[in-house]
Amino acid sequence: MWREVDIIVHSASITTFDDRYDTTLAVNVYGAKHVAEFATRCINIKMLLHVSTAHAWGYDKRVVPEKAFSMGETINGSRKLDVNEEKLSCEELIRELREKNASEEQITVALKNLGLQRARLHGWPNTYAFTKAMGEMMMRHHLNWNVPLAIARPAIITSTHRDPFPGWLEGFPFRHLDNIAINYGRGKINSFIGDPNTILDVIPADMVVNAMIVAMAVHANRSSYMIYHVGSSMSNSLRFAEFEDFIFRYFKNNPLTNEDGKLVKVGKFILLDSMESLQKKLTEYYALQSKEQNSLQSLPANLKRNINITMRVAEIYRPAALFKGIFDDTNTKALRATAMKNGVDLENLLCFDPGCINWEDYYQKVHLPGITGTFKLKRAML
């Protein structure tokens, strides 16, 4: 392979925000290191494209820059980050737990919690963003300086806008905003953590792919290192309040059925800015459904479990759901300009301009029908 490969696209990663720390480190961090080392050996290499995430810099800036990480850099600057130390922390925890005869389930829970603890120690909101940032560091550190490198940092990826057809999305169960939307449509939740003025940086999957293809063409055989935010917050922002309205109107007009086959009647979706308010609202909602007293302790076990799961998800998503900033896409706009200057058809063939998206039309006619169709199909197959 090292004699024949000329372009490498590295997009493999674990995208769950709170997966096991050892597994996420192995894939997102050391996987990037191994790819960089392999690319350095390739004698005909033209460029390497590494896919990261726009959330790698966390949520402490009003405008998140298309800026590279230095090896060992942290968001909060509290201490120098040592990737090998992170790996050792996992190995030590696993050894301690196995000496105590802990079950695999207990080890998994402990490693999930460790990832979140280590991420927050250094200023990152979750294990995913933390390990993707370390992956960028490893990629740049272990790649030969003369290999052209482009890093694509997509925002929240949604179903396709156009290609291969509108509304295509791979992956189930859903995560992020799609998980919120489907569980709201199912009547499982009526509220979530969030600020109506938060800008949800979402981008259709085909636009991410198109940006990657253009970046590959532009950087091939050109000594360079460039980072591209592929998102919409700078060019065509979508506020959480608009998303809130979109899902309410969609499921009001296109209701899902519950486990008993009855249509779910949704109420107005509510955004709350504190975890305490969210737990109170969910408890009231489930108490009304079960005709129990308005307290968490009086609810049936299955409803308590639903609330606990929702609260854990909300705690993980809280930094993003309350984030007031946007992601700079100056480099990505320059990439479009370069492609247009060279005659690339960015309107019909390789569009990655989020400015052309009508969010209401996209959510009502493309994205929400797409994810509800996928949900119905998967449920029918169970």
Side-chain angles (χ1 to χ4, degrees):
M1 288 176 66
W2 62 265
R3 288 199 282 278
E4 299 176 5
V5 169
D6 56 359
I7 290 179
I8 298 174
V9 179
H10 178 237
S11 62
S13 67
I14 291 175
T15 58
T16 306
F17 279 15
D18 64 335
D19 215 321
R20 282 179 58 137
Y21 193 31
D22 59 337
T23 308
T24 311
L25 271 174
V27 176
N28 294 0
V29 182
Y30 285 92
K33 173 181 180 287
H34 298 153
V35 170
E37 290 172 338
F38 171 73
T40 297
R41 292 179 58 206
C42 293
I43 59 176
N44 292 313
I45 191 74
K46 295 179 179 178
M47 71 90 60
L48 190 158
L49 176 67
H50 173 66
V51 182
S52 183
T53 173
H55 301 272
W57 269 108
Y59 308 110
D60 69 334
K61 296 177 175 63
R62 295 294 293 182
V63 179
V64 180
E66 291 170 302
K67 175 188 170 187
F69 288 99
S70 300
M71 194 66 182
E73 182 176 6
T74 62
I75 288 181
N76 58 18
S78 60
R79 53 177 294 188
K80 188 174 177 63
L81 172 62
D82 186 327
V83 177
N84 290 326
E85 182 181 309
E86 298 305 312
K87 184 180 179 183
L88 286 172
S89 70
C90 291
E91 294 171 351
E92 290 172 4
L93 178 60
I94 292 171
R95 184 172 61 253
E96 289 173 6
L97 290 171
R98 286 190 172 148
E99 286 174 355
K100 297 176 181 177
N101 295 318
S103 67
E104 284 303 310
E105 183 180 356
Q106 289 172 322
I107 292 173
T108 294
V109 170
L111 285 166
K112 285 185 174 184
N113 290 334
L114 177 65
L116 292 172
Q117 290 165 8
R118 299 298 297 181
R120 289 164 182 168
L121 173 67
H122 296 295
W124 276 271
N126 54 62
T127 310
Y128 169 63
F130 181 35
T131 55
K132 292 299 281 185
M134 285 191 284
E136 286 191 28
M137 296 177 198
M138 296 288 265
M139 179 65 68
R140 192 180 184 195
H141 183 74
H142 291 276
L143 184 68
N144 192 307
W145 65 270
N146 63 355
V147 177
L149 173 64
I151 294 181
R153 289 179 180 167
I156 299 172
I157 300 176
T158 57
S159 63
T160 54
H161 182 246
R162 186 184 298 168
D163 298 313
F165 52 82
W168 178 86
L169 182 70
E170 185 177 64
F172 188 85
F174 300 119
R175 291 193 295 273
H176 310 315
L177 296 172
D178 296 340
N179 190 29
I180 296 171
I182 287 295
N183 279 303
Y184 166 67
R186 296 173 64 197
K188 298 294 184 182
I189 60 173
N190 70 335
S191 51
F192 202 71
I193 194 77
D195 187 307
N197 293 316
T198 289
I199 294 175
L200 302 176
D201 199 319
V202 297
I203 188 76
D206 51 338
M207 290 193 174
V208 176
V209 172
N210 291 342
M212 291 166 60
I213 292 171
V214 172
M216 287 159 58
V218 166
H219 287 276
N221 289 324
R222 298 180 186 179
S223 181
S224 58
Y225 173 53
M226 191 64 71
I227 294 171
Y228 298 104
H229 280 160
V230 188
S232 60
S233 59
M234 200 84 169
S235 305
N236 186 11
S237 59
L238 169 70
R239 292 188 307 118
F240 215 150
E242 294 174 281
F243 174 80
E244 177 186 25
D245 180 60
F246 292 161
I247 61 174
F248 168 65
R249 289 193 285 118
Y250 180 79
F251 288 112
K252 181 181 178 183
N253 296 325
N254 306 274
L256 293 174
T257 56
N258 60 21
E259 287 80 358
D260 299 324
K262 297 179 181 178
L263 294 177
V264 177
K265 185 177 180 181
V266 297
K268 191 72 174 174
F269 188 69
I270 304 164
L271 290 173
L272 299 160
D273 61 3
S274 74
M275 297 296 289
E276 294 78 13
S277 298
L278 176 61
Q279 185 171 53
K280 181 180 179 182
K281 182 62 69 174
L282 288 171
T283 301
E284 291 173 353
Y285 180 63
Y286 277 111
L288 186 64
Q289 287 186 347
S290 65
K291 298 184 175 66
E292 295 286 346
Q293 291 183 0
N294 192 18
S295 70
L296 185 61
Q297 289 72 27
S298 63
L299 292 175
N302 64 318
L303 298 184
K304 287 182 185 177
R305 185 171 62 252
N306 287 347
I307 291 176
N308 290 335
I309 291 172
T310 302
M311 293 301 296
R312 177 174 172 83
V313 172
E315 179 59 36
I316 293 168
Y317 288 157
R318 182 172 59 86
L322 299 174
F323 178 51
K324 298 294 194 309
I326 56 177
F327 297 91
D328 181 24
D329 63 354
T330 301
N331 292 345
T332 306
K333 288 174 180 173
L335 180 67
R336 282 200 296 270
T338 300
M340 290 176 65
K341 184 178 178 181
N342 286 277
V344 179
D345 185 355
L346 295 185
E347 184 175 344
N348 300 303
L349 185 62
L350 291 170
C351 176
F352 61 101
D353 180 5
C356 72
I357 303 172
N358 179 313
W359 289 120
E360 181 173 5
D361 187 73
Y362 169 75
Y363 269 93
Q364 296 295 330
K365 298 178 181 179
V366 176
H367 186 64
L368 291 173
I371 64 170
T372 52
T374 300
F375 170 72
K376 290 176 182 177
L377 177 63
K378 294 294 184 180
R379 187 164 64 175
M381 292 170 64
L382 295 177

